[in-house]
Amino acid sequence: GEDVEQSLFLSVREGDSSVINCTYTDSSSTYLYWYKQEPGAGLQLLTYIFSNMDMKQDQRLTVLLNKKDKHLSLRIADTQTGDSAIYFCAGVYNFNKFYFGSGTKLNVKP
Amino acid sequence: GAVVSQHPSRVICKSGTSVKIECRSLDFQATTMFWYRQFPKQSLMLMATSNEGSKATYEQGVEKDKFLINHASLTLSTLTVTSAHPEDSSFYICSASKGTGGRSPLHFGNGTRLTVT
C-alpha cells in the first residue's frame, strides 16, 4: 500500500508556532489532507491542498507542499492549548481510498 | 456542511454476541462509505468500502463474515461485528464522501468504542 510517514510527537509552548511534517510515497494523489483527532472522537477535516499548489493559508493554518521531495507540512500559528490533539495527513489512492499517516500527537504546554 | 453521525458512541458486549454500529450521512447522500478501525496510539486501518446497493469491498485480512456491512440507503451504512471476541475490542470509525476520486474530503463520524468482555 501507500506509505505516509509522520513524526509521532511534537511539544510546543502556547503562543509558539507548530510545524507538523509528513512525507509520502505516492505522488498521484490529487489532493492532500490534514485531519485533527481529539481524544475519543472521530477525525475532523482541517484543511487540504490541491496537488498543483505549493502553499495554502487558512487563518492560523498554513499548508506547504513540496512535490519534488514528496513532503507536506502543516503550520499552526499562535498555537493554543485547544490545538492539542493528534494530526493526520492523508492522500488518496486507487481513485477513492484514503491512506493516512501514523498521526502526530501535538502537546501544547501553557 | 457535511455531517456524519455514528451510533452508538460506546458499547460493551459479552464475548460471543453481535454488535451493530450505524453510520448516517445527515445532510448529504453518500454512495460510498468507509469503515476504519483504530488501535490505541495507531493510525486508521481501512476495513472495507461500503457501496450502496451492492456488496462491500473488504481489505485484505479483514474477515467479511465477521464484519458484516450493509449499505441500505444513500445515507445509512451499518457494520455488524458478529460473534465478538475480546480481540475485536477497538475504536471503529465510519466516514463518507460527497464525491469520488479524492476530490472530496472524507467526513468522519465520532467513532464507536467497542469493548468485548
Side-chain angles (χ1 to χ4, degrees):
Chain A
E2 309 313 320
D3 193 21
V4 179
E5 292 191 1
Q6 297 180 239
S7 53
L8 293 180
F9 299 102
L10 176 65
S11 184
V12 300
R13 292 205 173 276
E14 192 172 23
D16 288 350
S17 292
S18 306
V19 180
I20 301 170
N21 295 301
C22 173
T23 57
Y24 57 94
T25 56
D26 183 1
S27 58
S28 65
S29 193
T30 306
Y31 287 90
L32 292 156
Y33 298 89
W34 282 102
Y35 285 86
K36 175 184 179 182
Q37 185 180 32
E38 296 184 359
L43 276 69
Q44 171 195 355
L45 176 67
L46 281 181
T47 187
Y48 58 92
I49 188 167
F50 188 46
S51 59
N52 69 352
M53 295 172 64
D54 298 325
M55 185 183 84
K56 179 181 179 181
Q57 187 153 1
D58 186 359
Q59 299 182 334
R60 291 193 297 124
L61 304 178
T62 302
V63 179
L64 295 178
L65 175 61
N66 182 328
K67 286 198 74 173
K68 175 175 169 289
D69 294 337
K70 297 181 183 176
H71 183 265
L72 181 73
S73 68
L74 173 69
R75 178 177 180 268
I76 305 173
D78 188 24
T79 313
Q80 302 298 307
T81 54
D83 294 324
S84 293
I86 300 176
Y87 291 80
F88 292 93
C89 62
V92 184
Y93 72 100
N94 281 3
F95 189 64
N96 66 351
K97 290 185 179 179
F98 280 64
Y99 56 96
F100 292 85
S102 53
T104 299
K105 186 171 185 178
L106 174 64
N107 179 42
V108 182
K109 295 178 282 190
Chain B
V3 180
V4 176
S5 173
Q6 189 172 341
H7 179 81
S9 57
R10 286 180 177 273
V11 59
I12 300 172
C13 71
K14 291 187 183 296
S15 190
T17 61
S18 295
V19 172
K20 181 185 281 188
I21 303 169
E22 289 190 353
C23 180
R24 294 180 185 271
S25 54
L26 296 186
D27 53 358
F28 67 100
Q29 293 185 331
T31 308
T32 305
M33 291 184 174
F34 302 88
W35 288 95
Y36 289 85
R37 181 173 178 175
Q38 187 177 32
F39 295 94
K41 300 181 181 179
Q42 291 190 19
S43 187
L44 293 88
M45 180 191 81
L46 178 64
M47 298 176 66
T49 303
S50 171
N51 304 297
E52 188 269 337
S54 64
K55 291 182 180 180
T57 304
Y58 290 83
E59 295 299 301
Q60 193 172 8
V62 178
E63 298 177 62
K64 63 180 181 180
D65 294 330
K66 180 163 189 63
F67 299 100
L68 299 179
I69 290 172
N70 183 275
H71 199 139
S73 73
L74 287 171
T75 59
L76 173 64
S77 176
T78 60
L79 168 68
T80 301
V81 183
T82 63
S83 187
H85 287 96
E87 57 265 32
D88 299 324
S89 297
S90 195
F91 193 56
Y92 294 88
I93 317 177
C94 72
S95 65
S97 174
K98 289 182 178 179
T100 58
R103 289 183 290 275
S104 296
L106 285 183
H107 300 281
F108 286 83
N110 274 331
T112 298
R113 171 71 60 192
L114 170 63
T115 303
V116 184
T117 60

